[in-house]
Amino acid sequence: MVFDTRSYQHVPVVTITNYGFIIDNRKCIGCHACTVACKAEHDDPIGVNKTWVKQIEKGEFPNTNRNFSVMRCNHCDDSPCTDVCPVTALWEREDGIVDFDPDRCIGCVACMQGCPYDALYIDPETSTAAKCNYCSHRVDAGREPACVTVCPEDAIISGDMEDNDTEITATMSRQEVQARKPEKGTEPKLFYVDGDEGSTTPGTSGREDHYMWSDAPHNTEVEGGEREDFDLQRAAESLAESDIRFSGDEDEARAAVESAARSDGGCACGGNCGCQSERDSQVASDGGVPSSSTANGTRTTEGPEKSRTERAYELIHEEVTRVYDIGENHYKSWGWEVYSYTWTKSISAGVFMIPALLMIAGFIDPNATLVGVSAVMSTVFLGLTGVLLILDLEQPKRFHWVLLRPNWTSWLVKGAYIITAFGGYLALVLLGWFLGLESLVTNPAILAVGAVLAASTAIYTAFLFSQSKGRDLWQSPAMPLHMFTQAIIAGSATTAMLGIAGYDGLVDPSRLLLGAGLILHLALVTSEIFTPHQTEDAEEAAARITRGEFARAFWIGGMAVGIAAPLVILAASGSVAAIVSAGLLALAGLFAFEYCWITAPQTISLA
């Protein structure tokens, strides 16, 4: 078969551009010129940085080493910040740059929760999010980013990773490079040559004592104090299980080589190279102290031989110290408004869903007044949910942009439309109740629609949390079921109170549902908190809930008050007063659990 090439001569050639960064740590001298140039280029206010240089020290005097790591946005190919942003203030350009438009931002902070690298922050002057945008205005004019231009050692390399003629592709082909948290699946495009584990993995250098900028205003993470919840032993065990080579491993390898040395004390290569004396004087690159040699060339170590875990413990504890960094931008960026809104949302969804489902299933007789009262209570708590959502925004006047400028990949947008639909449904139910349309209000099909909307209102936040890839503990596949269970608990606790108002038919079903919900809640808490986790960050967040900063709120509030006491009361008595008391305790415990679950993962260092 012969092809006519003339038919292809007008087909345009599509070129792909994909910008990225390489930081060559062999060249970086920690001069901070990139930080200064970035702030000057973007006129950033004092106290925030789009790019910064993290410094750690390893070893003990005089055998010490300081390592520098330039931190910034990774411009991920699969960027979670753009997925979760509800108003498309963040987007991926065709050339691979993740850009940002502050004029669209509503300050919901969802992008900061989604980013695993702590690359975003809230600008104190504009109250909108900000981050490195690869100096896109300079790139569009054919220039390099400001940090690249100013670096005196050419340690920052930028360019098109799809072009084989660029320096960045040449460097990647010649050198082994490392990326931060590739296991997140974000496909980051910020790479390090000779990247140091102590810098790129936040947990290996705990925020201990004071370091430069640790006491800066607004940096509430450490407040100049030691982080008490850093589990050093678990971090050491995890590091020991990795494939990282320690100084002790090098000693063992050398010993194996020297075991083949000549009997006259010469080295294995013949005794004329002088490598024996060179090895004796060499200090390990990671700050380790070389072991001594005897006259016959046999190496000795001081003290008994240490296990790999012990060496990892010493590596983390003694050799990695954070001496210069910026404050955590993400620390507790979702505060009381968020765990309060998840609580009120559960009440709003449950207080309508439970009577509706009981009527549909035939456990209680259709009652238009009960439907109307439930709708009123649901509307009140849904309104509180909306108020809390707006209060949590840095730009509350722009809240309506979530509906008018939606990014449909974000569960903030989907949730906003679900809440709006549920609110509209409740308004129609209340209108029908006021107009006396009892048969319409209690129609099983109408109630089923309301139950579905209520359930959707309860569980959509689970999918929003799953988009927050910076919070490993929130990546639980059981979260939708857990959110639904919390709505059952909150709804049955609230509807039990209607028994006091004369709706006797709700008392026994509320008792049964409350007890079943609490048991399921306990099982889900056990699976999410106490079972082994896939990542160190999730394990650390769970540890802080059970035995760290949040232990008292969790054990006393979430477990004792919220689960154990209500179950005991429900088992002991079936009176209305007992069920209402159990319901009130369950609601208090649910609030305590929400506080722990939402706040604890936000205290894990991301950078």
Side-chain angles (χ1 to χ4, degrees), residues 76-138:
C76 307
D77 269 337
D78 187 8
S79 52
C81 60
T82 60
D83 290 337
V84 77
C85 177
V87 291
T88 325
L90 286 152
W91 75 96
E92 296 179 18
R93 298 184 1 157
E94 292 183 356
D95 55 10
I97 296 174
V98 179
D99 212 338
F100 180 77
D101 183 2
D103 292 333
R104 292 184 69 95
C105 179
I106 62 174
C108 65
V109 195
C111 56
M112 294 171 63
Q113 306 288 12
C115 177
Y117 311 105
D118 198 31
L120 292 109
Y121 63 86
I122 295 296
D123 190 305
E125 293 184 352
T126 63
S127 295
T128 59
K131 70 170 195 69
C132 160
N133 70 338
Y134 209 94
C135 286
S136 57
H137 59 289
R138 294 172 62 95

Side-chain angles (χ1 to χ4, degrees), residues 457-470:
T457 299
I459 67 174
Y460 85 82
T461 314
F463 301 103
L464 173 60
F465 285 161
S466 69
Q467 287 187 311
S468 302
K469 292 188 177 181

Side-chain angles (χ1 to χ4, degrees), residues 19 22 89 132 169 234 242 258 278 282 438 491 515 533 569:
Y19 284 110
I22 287 182
C132 160
T169 56
R234 185 165 61 253
S242 68
E258 289 169 0
E278 180 181 348
Q282 183 180 7
E438 297 185 2
H533 298 87
I569 293 173

Side-chain angles (χ1 to χ4, degrees), residues 18 39 57 68 89 125 129 179 202 224 257 383 396 412 476 510 519 535 548 563 589:
N18 192 19
K39 291 182 73 69
E57 288 182 352
F68 310 105
E125 293 184 352
V257 174
L412 266 174
S476 169
S510 295
I519 293 173
T535 67
I563 298 178

Side-chain angles (χ1 to χ4, degrees), residues 4 50 109 132 138 146 152 186 208 356-357 360 371 373 413 428 435 441 505 519 524 544 573 597:
D4 184 1
K50 289 183 171 67
V109 195
C132 160
R138 294 172 62 95
T186 60
E208 300 173 305
L357 291 176
I360 294 172
V371 173
V373 172
V413 170
L428 292 175
L435 295 177
V441 169
I519 293 173
L524 291 169
R544 295 184 184 186
S573 175
W597 178 262

Side-chain angles (χ1 to χ4, degrees), residues 369-386:
T369 303
L370 176 58
V371 173
V373 172
S374 299
V376 170
M377 297 178 67
S378 181
T379 301
V380 170
F381 282 98
L382 191 66
L384 288 174
T385 300

